[in-house]
Amino acid sequence: MVCLGNICRSPLAEGILKSKINGQHVFVDSAGTGAWHSGELPDKRSIAVAKKNGIDLSDQRARLFLVEDFDRFDHIYVMDQSNYKNVCRLAPDEEAMNKVQLILNEIHPDQNREVPDPYYGGDSGFDHVFQMLNEACDIIKQKIENA
Ligand code: 4NP
């Protein structure tokens, strides 16, 4: 799960998917394409909306997306077009590039919709992001179970 800062959207995506596939042999992680917040906890507002929905993000720390992640993961979900460009720029080959997809395409195939960056908005933006990611992660969970 990849966003820009790895403090708002991708920590929520990581926490939500982990909560759904608990106990299955799947490794879920998140990262950011920018390093400004590396080592920090998720944004307080992400922690709060997750907590409200029974999910604990407090063991997460922001980290930068690395080229090695292409080898470590089968699927790389990004939140918006800018993340998509930044991640694809690091892809060593086409196989790596093909692992990268916009997470909302799981709900709305080929529509290239974006998870809006809630960083500069109010709390309602975080609720909206939570709902979108929750719906996408339900589909990802089903795909994992049917794989
Ligand atoms: P995120 O949100 O990409 O969902 O973690 C942001 C967090 C911080 C910044 C931008 C987006 N920032 O510019 O510091």
Side-chain angles (χ1 to χ4, degrees):
M1 302 299 190
V2 180
C3 62
L4 175 59
N6 192 207
I7 56 167
C8 297
R9 293 165 291 176
S10 59
L12 276 173
E14 176 188 337
I16 292 167
L17 188 58
K18 278 181 171 166
S19 76
K20 292 182 191 297
I21 59 166
N22 200 11
Q24 297 182 49
H25 297 284
V26 177
F27 179 61
V28 184
D29 196 15
S30 66
T33 61
W36 311 283
H37 297 280
S38 284
E40 293 178 15
L41 277 163
D43 188 283
K44 283 192 178 67
R45 297 163 294 177
S46 284
I47 291 179
V49 74
K51 192 171 176 189
K52 202 164 76 177
N53 289 277
I55 296 170
D56 180 17
L57 304 184
S58 65
D59 62 346
Q60 292 192 34
R61 297 294 181 274
R63 73 167 178 91
L64 188 62
F65 179 85
L66 301 170
V67 72
E68 293 84 56
D69 289 316
F70 286 109
D71 292 326
R72 297 174 62 219
F73 296 93
D74 299 314
H75 300 278
I76 298 168
Y77 287 108
V78 296
M79 304 294 134
D80 63 31
Q81 299 278 6
S82 158
N83 310 149
Y84 186 85
K85 254 184 258 162
N86 288 327
V87 170
C88 285
R89 229 192 328 250
L90 297 172
D93 53 33
E94 202 178 326
E95 189 189 343
M97 187 100 83
N98 289 338
K99 293 181 176 182
V100 188
Q101 51 188 318
L102 284 163
I103 193 167
L104 293 188
N105 276 351
E106 292 288 15
I107 310 173
H108 310 285
D110 303 320
Q111 290 191 18
N112 297 337
R113 296 196 195 180
E114 302 185 301
V115 181
D117 184 347
Y119 188 62
Y120 292 106
D123 291 348
S124 68
F126 285 75
D127 278 309
H128 185 218
V129 164
F130 185 94
Q131 297 311 328
M132 289 176 165
L133 292 175
N134 195 40
E135 196 180 332
C137 288
D138 274 333
I139 297 171
I140 295 169
K141 170 200 158 85
Q142 280 165 21
K143 287 191 171 176
I144 291 169
E145 285 175 352
N146 296 333

